[in-house]
Amino acid sequence: SRPLLLSQIEDYLHNNLNNLTNDDNMIQTEDWLANKRLKIYREAFQMYIDEFNIYKPFLLNVKHEYESILDYFSVKYVIFLF
């Protein structure tokens, strides 16, 4: 049987990612979709981090490094577009 946390996170991902494509009221650009998907995965990763206090400092450091590099490239991308 699957661990409860894994099932909860996978359900969260499945439900939220499916809702992205079912929202007909909003114009969905590739950038919009990419940012929404990233937000959903960030939240899922945070759910995992919050459950493991012993690894939490390490996982938060990893998350911070990924966020930093994403921010760096996001700024470069925006500058490139203008």
Side-chain angles (χ1 to χ4, degrees):
S1 143
R2 299 173 68 82
L4 179 60
L5 178 62
L6 178 59
S7 293
Q8 290 172 334
I9 292 173
E10 286 180 335
D11 288 346
Y12 173 83
L13 288 171
H14 177 75
N15 292 334
N16 284 281
L17 292 171
N18 280 343
N19 286 339
L20 287 180
T21 56
N22 294 334
D23 188 0
D24 295 329
N25 297 329
M26 184 155 206
I27 298 171
Q28 299 170 350
T29 64
E30 285 185 45
D31 289 343
W32 181 89
L33 253 139
N35 282 319
K36 285 297 201 176
R37 287 178 55 84
L38 180 59
K39 182 180 184 294
I40 292 166
Y41 276 99
R42 277 181 178 136
E43 291 168 356
F45 189 49
Q46 190 63 50
M47 290 166 63
Y48 180 80
I49 290 170
D50 289 342
E51 289 296 316
F52 293 96
N53 288 329
I54 205 155
Y55 295 106
K56 192 171 188 171
F58 167 74
L59 292 171
L60 286 173
N61 284 335
V62 170
K63 182 181 175 189
H64 175 73
E65 289 302 317
Y66 274 99
E67 296 292 334
S68 294
I69 202 71
L70 284 171
D71 289 344
Y72 172 77
F73 282 110
S74 292
V75 169
K76 287 188 81 110
Y77 176 73
V78 168
I79 291 170
F80 175 75
L81 290 178
F82 294 104

